[in-house]
Amino acid sequence: MAVLKVKFTKTKRDKLAQILWILNWISVVSGIVLFSLGLFLKIEIKKRNEVMAKGDINSVPNMLISVGVIACIINFLGGKICYDCSDANKFSRWKLVMLPYIVCTLCFTFCILVGALMCYAMRNELEESLYLGLRDAIKYYKDTDIPGRCFLKRTVDLLQIGFQCCGNSGFRDWFEVQWVSPRYLNMASKDVVDRLKSNVDGKFLVDGVPFSCCNPSSPRPCIQYQLTNNSAHYNYDFLTEELNIWVKGCREALLDYYTAIMRSIGITALLIWMFELSVLIGVRYLQTAMKNVLLLGDLEGESDGWLLENSFVETAKRNINIIKNFGKVSQISTVSGMSDPTTDVANTNCGKNDVTKKSIPAAS
């Protein structure tokens, strides 16, 4: 029994073909949208790849870009097919192409769904990439004279100012690294020498942060050094006083920024997937209706269209049997193609080359 069978007159078939022709062109635009969103996300990631560890975070934008290009090609072809389906004579040349086209389009719509879900599943991978990248960027913040790292100070400062954040997880991350370049340390100062000797690794660690962590909206002048020393500042209590530096970590700030972008892209991709699926259902109805018209031989008469010719269970069993039979045929072909190295296939008379041929005497 056919699933969701609908009866179509010639007028309904023509209208369906015209509507699907328009929808396929709209789908081409949706493909361009997917391509643009993937390209936008790729550019946004590349802008801050200096504070990201290398990984597969580009898999989502690459997926969206690929799906967008395929969408334009498939829907352009679909528009041409639907336009010709308004004429039964023109449909005959697309008759053998329609079913493979529908199968390919079904796989393509599934890829759109996967791309949309990947936008929501990317958060954990992105968070790990940001954690490792920011950790290294803060670690090499002081290396302004080393090629390959000299840009990190400017990158981190602009990042903290632009996203109003400080450190990786928070401002205390700066307490654990030497972020002041050795060239700016006065080695003649006893305090500097004592601080270097007090550290096991010989690092100059201070309870301070770079200037880019300062909050310009604070009414008090920025306190960026000796943050935990209450006696170093007038009317200041580290435990109770609201700090005039950014408290939010840059990893959290960047993660919120990219999460908002990916959430918007994911919702857009889901809407496009639903739209593409509805177009695919319409194409399937058109294909089955036109196929039945040709079988009936009455081009002006009514015909049935359906999603599946048989029930879901029967269709599943049939496809499984087709796959099994295909596997058996491939296996038989492989076995038949094998040859026994001990057998001389070319010589099949077992060495009897001089066999005397007997002739039948002619009747007198």
Side-chain angles (χ1 to χ4, degrees), residues 246-267:
W246 305 118
V247 180
K248 190 175 186 180
C250 290
R251 173 161 50 97
E252 182 183 355
L254 284 173
L255 193 62
D256 292 343
Y257 174 75
Y258 283 111
T259 300
I261 292 177
M262 290 186 294
R263 187 182 294 117
S264 301
I265 293 177
I267 293 173

Side-chain angles (χ1 to χ4, degrees), residues 32-77:
I32 297 174
V33 171
L34 282 175
F35 176 84
S36 302
L37 291 175
L39 188 62
F40 169 74
L41 182 57
K42 192 177 184 69
I43 292 173
E44 286 297 311
I45 291 175
K46 192 173 182 179
K47 282 181 181 178
R48 298 168 184 90
N49 61 353
E50 296 168 353
V51 293
M52 293 182 184
K54 293 182 179 179
D56 296 332
I57 55 177
N58 283 313
S59 57
V60 174
N62 291 338
M63 179 77 169
L64 293 173
I65 290 172
S66 302
V67 168
V69 173
I70 296 172
C72 294
I73 298 173
I74 286 182
N75 289 305
F76 179 80
L77 178 61

Side-chain angles (χ1 to χ4, degrees), residues 22-36 68 71-72 75 272 275-276:
I22 297 173
L23 293 180
N24 271 283
W25 280 106
I26 297 175
S27 297
V28 172
V29 177
S30 68
I32 297 174
V33 171
L34 282 175
F35 176 84
S36 302
C72 294
N75 289 305
I272 291 175
F275 178 75
E276 291 284 351

Side-chain angles (χ1 to χ4, degrees), residues 2-27:
V3 178
L4 298 178
K5 184 168 67 174
V6 178
K7 191 171 291 293
F8 290 91
T9 62
K10 185 180 185 306
T11 304
K12 288 183 178 180
R13 288 194 300 270
D14 293 343
K15 287 184 178 180
L16 179 61
Q18 293 171 2
I19 292 172
L20 289 174
W21 175 74
I22 297 173
L23 293 180
N24 271 283
W25 280 106
I26 297 175
S27 297

Side-chain angles (χ1 to χ4, degrees), residues 93-348:
R93 64 185 178 186
W94 295 107
K95 181 180 177 181
L96 299 177
V97 181
M98 285 288 285
L99 188 58
Y101 168 79
I102 291 173
V103 174
C104 292
T105 307
L106 180 62
C107 297
F108 154 72
T109 52
F110 178 74
C111 291
I112 297 179
L113 178 61
V114 171
L117 296 177
M118 286 175 65
C119 290
Y120 295 96
M122 185 182 171
R123 179 182 173 89
N124 293 333
E125 186 177 356
L126 180 62
E127 184 175 9
E128 182 181 0
S129 177
L130 287 171
Y131 171 76
L132 297 175
L134 286 168
R135 183 194 63 184
D136 293 340
I138 293 173
K139 179 181 178 182
Y140 302 127
Y141 178 87
K142 69 180 186 302
D143 298 337
T144 54
D145 298 329
I146 299 178
R149 299 178 186 172
C150 55
F151 59 88
L152 284 176
K153 179 182 181 301
R154 180 177 181 273
T155 300
V156 173
D157 285 336
L158 291 176
L159 177 67
Q160 293 187 145
I161 294 172
F163 284 86
Q164 300 181 356
C165 58
C166 185
N168 191 341
S169 302
F171 67 91
R172 287 183 176 85
D173 293 329
W174 291 105
F175 298 175
E176 302 172 1
V177 296
Q178 179 180 334
W179 53 272
V180 180
S181 177
R183 65 183 295 186
Y184 301 114
L185 294 178
N186 183 10
M187 302 305 296
S189 173
K190 185 176 182 300
D191 293 337
V192 173
V193 175
D194 291 342
R195 189 174 291 273
L196 289 172
K197 289 181 178 180
S198 63
N199 184 264
V200 177
D201 298 326
K203 296 180 180 179
F204 184 77
L205 304 182
V206 294
D207 55 344
V209 295
F211 77 97
S212 54
C213 285
C214 294
N215 182 0
S217 300
S218 175
R220 181 169 186 164
C222 183
I223 299 175
Q224 62 180 110
Y225 291 103
Q226 296 182 333
L227 292 174
T228 58
N229 187 359
N230 293 333
S231 61
H233 311 284
Y234 175 74
N235 193 19
Y236 176 78
D237 187 356
F238 172 70
L239 298 177
T240 60
E241 182 91 6
E242 184 178 354
L243 297 176
N244 57 358
I245 60 173
W246 305 118
V247 180
K248 190 175 186 180
C250 290
R251 173 161 50 97
E252 182 183 355
L254 284 173
L255 193 62
D256 292 343
Y257 174 75
Y258 283 111
T259 300
I261 292 177
M262 290 186 294
R263 187 182 294 117
S264 301
I265 293 177
I267 293 173
T268 304
L270 283 174
L271 294 175
I272 291 175
W273 170 73
M274 295 174 64
F275 178 75
E276 291 284 351
L277 191 62
S278 64
V279 174
L280 178 61
I281 292 173
V283 173
R284 174 60 175 168
Y285 272 116
L286 181 63
Q287 181 254 335
T288 52
M290 294 300 296
K291 177 182 176 183
N292 290 330
V293 163
L294 295 179
L295 291 175
L296 294 173
D298 184 9
L299 302 181
E300 303 294 329
E302 295 183 343
S303 62
D304 293 331
W306 51 70
L307 287 181
L308 296 174
E309 188 173 359
N310 301 311
S311 64
F312 289 103
V313 177
E314 292 175 355
T315 303
K317 289 181 178 179
R318 180 187 174 190
N319 291 331
I320 292 172
N321 290 330
I322 290 174
I323 295 173
K324 287 182 178 179
N325 293 332
F326 179 77
K328 290 180 180 178
V329 171
S330 300
Q331 196 172 25
I332 292 172
S333 300
T334 304
V335 173
S336 62
M338 295 173 62
S339 60
D340 189 353
T342 62
T343 304
D344 187 2
V345 180
N347 189 5
T348 57

